Amino acid sequence: MSTPETAAGTIAGTGAGTTATRKKRHLSAYVALFPAFIIVLLAYVVTVIWNIWISFTDSKVLPVNIFVGTKQYERLFTTARWILSLQNVVLFGILFIAGCLILGFLLAVALDQKVRFENTFRTIFLYPFAMSFIVTGLVWQWIMNPTLGLQKVADSIGFTWIRFDWIVQSNLALYVIVLAGIWQSSGLVMAIMLAGLRGVDRELWKATRIDGIPAWRVYLHIVIPILRPTIITASVLLAIAVVRVYELVLATTGGGPGISTEVPGKFIMDYLFGRGNIGLATGASTVMFITVVILVTPWLYYEYFREKPRGN
């Protein structure tokens, strides 16, 4: 028969063994993650620091270590092409994200009505996302080409008053890129939103029908707040696409007519490889990096680091 001292010793021994096992597991996890940590450190952190340093140098075709202070940034913000590219990416981002969220949500709501051939429609809506921005840009370049696409069809049937030649008009060409982006990415938003809608409790719908609440009010005041995490996830994915938009512009308009559809990504690539001005290109990329950090940091704090009310 075991005494209380013996039982306590047994429990203490078991606890010590559990602690040792836990430490061994943690050590194994750290060892497994160490290569990834080194890769992240070298591939991201070091390159970002090197990029920022080069933006303060007089680098041209090749990087040099001649410090020139803020000269590259002063030149950058007095370059009309850079200012226009910032304006374009802001306008593109607002219209692109809003358009994708609205269209994706409406498509998800339509598919959530238990329609026949749902899988077929879902595949059709999601299919454009399987294509790269290069292919998407070429498709929309052909659609909006005055001699090949919609404009030629309209002219051939006598509707010459309809104009679809936006791609050759400097004040409308950016909207062609917005349409191409929405067409390509709204299917992804639809899939994310549909998954969120399928997670809404069906009893909620039954209760609102009994109370006679119109469906649009249920979506607006109940469903959309429930889908808030889903909407945030979709918005972050779309915002990343806005920051790295380059291929779509290159394939659709090439930045033209003139420089009317210039975006920061194309500006950076042109000065990095075409014009041989590494200092100015790294200055532009540093501005984009700092802008993203400033915009993302409040959201990260709000979502992950703020002290949440108890009970949530």
Side-chain angles (χ1 to χ4, degrees):
M1 184 175 182
S2 61
T3 62
E5 291 76 7
T6 306
T10 304
I11 294 172
T14 305
T18 304
T19 304
T21 304
R22 191 181 297 119
K23 287 182 178 178
K24 189 178 294 183
R25 287 178 181 174
H26 288 172
L27 180 62
S28 300
Y30 290 141
V31 171
L33 290 174
F34 184 73
F37 172 76
I38 295 298
I39 291 173
V40 169
L41 183 66
L42 294 177
Y44 293 98
V45 179
V46 173
T47 53
V48 167
I49 295 173
W50 183 81
N51 182 93
I52 295 174
W53 161 247
I54 291 298
S55 69
F56 288 100
T57 66
D58 197 27
S59 299
K60 296 299 182 185
V61 178
L62 296 173
V64 296
N65 289 321
I66 304 174
F67 183 74
V68 293
T70 59
K71 176 184 173 183
Q72 302 291 3
Y73 294 94
E74 293 170 5
R75 180 185 172 189
L76 185 66
F77 283 99
T78 55
T79 303
R81 184 178 173 184
W82 171 250
I83 301 299
L84 179 62
S85 70
L86 291 178
Q87 295 172 349
N88 284 341
V89 80
V90 171
L91 180 60
F92 172 81
I94 293 172
L95 296 177
F96 170 71
I97 293 176
C100 286
L101 290 177
I102 294 173
L103 183 59
F105 178 73
L106 293 177
L107 290 175
V109 170
L111 289 181
D112 195 39
Q113 307 306 311
K114 298 180 180 179
V115 297
R116 295 183 64 186
F117 308 113
E118 178 190 327
N119 291 337
T120 302
F121 285 117
R122 190 166 50 193
T123 303
I124 293 172
F125 295 149
L126 193 56
Y127 182 74
F129 187 71
M131 294 190 290
S132 68
F133 274 134
I134 290 289
V135 176
T136 301
L138 289 174
V139 168
W140 278 85
Q141 185 194 66
W142 295 335
I143 291 174
M144 291 296 182
N145 190 316
T147 60
L148 297 174
L150 294 176
Q151 188 62 60
K152 185 177 181 181
V153 174
D155 291 342
S156 65
I157 59 178
F159 295 117
T160 54
W161 51 273
I162 298 177
R163 307 308 304 174
F164 290 110
D165 55 347
W166 295 6
I167 202 168
V168 296
Q169 298 186 38
S170 59
N171 60 330
L172 296 176
L174 184 65
Y175 300 105
V176 177
I177 299 173
V178 173
L179 289 175
I182 293 174
W183 179 76
Q184 202 261 2
S185 300
S186 59
L188 172 66
V189 178
M190 178 272 300
I192 297 174
M193 295 282 189
L194 184 60
L197 287 174
R198 293 288 160 82
V200 176
D201 190 352
R202 292 295 164 185
E203 295 299 323
L204 177 66
W205 284 106
K206 292 179 182 177
T208 56
R209 289 193 188 99
I210 293 173
D211 292 338
I213 303 175
W216 67 270
R217 290 188 63 184
V218 179
Y219 278 112
L220 190 62
H221 297 291
I222 300 176
V223 175
I224 289 180
I226 292 175
L227 295 181
R228 178 177 166 273
T230 305
I231 295 172
I232 290 175
T233 301
S235 300
V236 170
L237 293 175
L238 295 173
I240 292 172
V242 171
V243 173
R244 62 184 180 87
V245 60
Y246 168 69
E247 301 97 330
L248 184 61
V249 174
L250 194 67
T252 308
T253 64
I259 58 170
S260 60
T261 55
E262 188 79 13
V263 291
K266 188 174 182 302
F267 179 93
I268 293 169
M269 296 299 286
D270 284 352
Y271 276 85
L272 191 62
F273 297 107
R275 301 187 177 219
N277 194 327
I278 296 177
L280 194 64
T282 53
S285 61
T286 301
V287 170
M288 291 302 296
F289 170 74
I290 293 174
T291 303
V292 171
V293 170
I294 292 174
L295 293 177
V296 170
T297 299
W299 170 73
L300 287 175
Y301 173 79
Y302 182 80
E303 287 295 321
Y304 299 107
F305 299 105
R306 72 185 175 94
E307 186 176 351
K308 297 182 179 179
R310 296 189 177 186
N312 293 338

